[in-house]
Amino acid sequence: LMFIRNPSQWGQFLILVAFLMVYLLNLIYVSSRFNFDNPHWKILVLFLNFAFTGFILATLSVRFVFPLISLEGRGFWVVRGAPVSVSMLFWEKFFLAFVIFMGLCEIIVWITNQVLNVTQAMMILTTVGTFLMGVALTGLGIGMGALFPDFKEESPMRIASTPGGVLTVVLSLLYVAVMVAILGWPASGYFVYLLGNGPFPAGRALSAVAMVACVNALILLIPLRLGRQAIEERDV
């Protein structure tokens, strides 16, 4: 409700959505005039699009998810005094943000994969990868927002520009870059396999799954745990 009642909030969100629509139209235009039958170009463009989706998720999480706790404002003491646990408020903000932003990004990934006409394996890889990034970045945004709240500031833009917000930006971008690199490692072997120059990269795939699990566990669980503890122990 706070998001809907603030025109600057949903106005900026609609601007970002408009930029995404322009990106999709440009991709459709390029795909109609460029030969993507070559597996090299198809996989290259696929991962560029995957990285772009991750950076969009990072931008949305820092701009709209990180300030959610702080936007409770000076009346946060009312929440602490209400018959609702702070932990419930914390998880409500997490799941609401996750559903909204994940829905948007999964739609983008699905449309772009259809435009590029990728294989089923690449479709599954990018869809699952986007889902994992959505969970991790939403958790990072909520956790860091609870760890570094600013209840005196009313502007979401200024809240996102605080030292905690800047640190969240850095961690989010590093996380996306690491995810793209890890998933690109078995994908390069898969490309060689498609050309008939090597075996299917089963070893790389298993190693990548293990690394993705570790990275996502760290980037999701640590900020969520620290943020929830900090907001529960915070003095009114």
Side-chain angles (χ1 to χ4, degrees), residues 29-108:
Y29 175 79
V30 171
S31 65
S32 65
R33 296 178 176 272
F34 191 81
N35 182 16
F36 281 118
D37 293 333
N38 188 320
H40 171 74
W41 290 111
K42 182 178 290 188
I43 292 179
L44 177 62
V45 174
L46 171 70
F47 269 88
L48 289 176
N49 176 69
F50 178 62
F52 175 80
T53 304
F55 290 132
I56 287 294
L57 268 173
T59 301
L60 292 175
S61 66
V62 174
R63 174 59 187 83
F64 296 102
V65 179
F66 177 81
L68 285 179
I69 299 293
S70 299
L71 287 177
E72 293 297 325
R74 299 177 186 272
F76 181 70
W77 65 272
V78 178
V79 178
R80 294 300 302 266
V84 177
S85 66
V86 177
S87 179
M88 180 178 292
L89 174 71
F90 180 85
W91 290 113
E92 178 269 336
K93 290 183 180 293
F94 169 79
F95 285 110
L96 183 62
F98 169 72
V99 169
I100 293 174
F101 295 129
M102 272 307 303
L104 177 64
C105 288
E106 288 291 357
I107 289 173
I108 294 172

Side-chain angles (χ1 to χ4, degrees), residues 77-144:
W77 65 272
V78 178
V79 178
R80 294 300 302 266
V84 177
S85 66
V86 177
S87 179
M88 180 178 292
L89 174 71
F90 180 85
W91 290 113
E92 178 269 336
K93 290 183 180 293
F94 169 79
F95 285 110
L96 183 62
F98 169 72
V99 169
I100 293 174
F101 295 129
M102 272 307 303
L104 177 64
C105 288
E106 288 291 357
I107 289 173
I108 294 172
V109 168
W110 184 83
I111 293 176
T112 52
N113 283 342
Q114 292 296 321
V115 171
L116 297 174
N117 193 26
V118 300
T119 62
Q120 185 177 5
M122 290 294 103
M123 174 73 82
I124 295 173
L125 179 67
T126 53
T127 302
V128 173
T130 302
F131 176 82
L132 293 175
M133 287 197 298
V135 175
L137 289 172
T138 304
L140 178 64
I142 290 292
M144 295 294 286

Side-chain angles (χ1 to χ4, degrees), residues 43 184-195 197-201 204:
I43 292 179
W185 180 46
S188 63
Y190 181 68
F191 165 67
V192 174
Y193 166 74
L194 290 179
L195 296 179
N197 297 327
F200 184 81
R204 288 192 186 186

